[in-house]
Amino acid sequence: MTTSERQAALIAQCARQRVDAAAEVRALLQPVSSGTGFKLPMTIAGVVLGMIATRSGRAMPMLTAGLSLWKLVKKVLPMLRR
């Protein structure tokens, strides 16, 4: 293998590695940039803080009803969009 052939092979290998690395970085950053990765933890934190802030006997039944309603809406909404 001549020097120029080796150089061309190394350049091609570097290009493939750059493409692969870029795809890996995009895959790692996608949940962070879209914001969906933090939706559930932030929801849970909001519920816990709401429970701590209210500390009343009415808060828990209201939260339970709200959560049930939320689950129902999440199940029905995709069916309505069809």
Side-chain angles (χ1 to χ4, degrees):
M1 183 178 253
T2 66
T3 306
S4 60
E5 291 171 340
R6 181 163 163 69
Q7 181 182 15
L10 287 172
I11 290 172
Q13 181 183 6
C14 288
R16 284 192 306 271
Q17 289 175 348
R18 272 195 301 273
V19 169
D20 292 343
E24 292 292 327
V25 168
R26 272 194 309 274
L28 290 173
L29 291 179
Q30 193 271 332
V32 175
S33 62
S34 67
T36 58
F38 295 110
K39 189 178 280 187
L40 181 62
M42 292 303 287
T43 302
I44 292 171
V47 168
V48 170
L49 287 174
M51 288 173 59
I52 291 171
T54 56
R55 290 250 173 162
S56 70
R58 296 178 303 173
M60 197 58 168
M62 287 179 14
L63 288 174
T64 304
L67 183 61
S68 297
L69 182 63
W70 176 254
K71 286 182 180 180
L72 178 68
V73 168
K74 294 271 290 188
K75 286 182 182 178
V76 172
L77 196 58
M79 288 188 281
L80 293 176
R81 289 184 178 174
R82 291 183 190 170

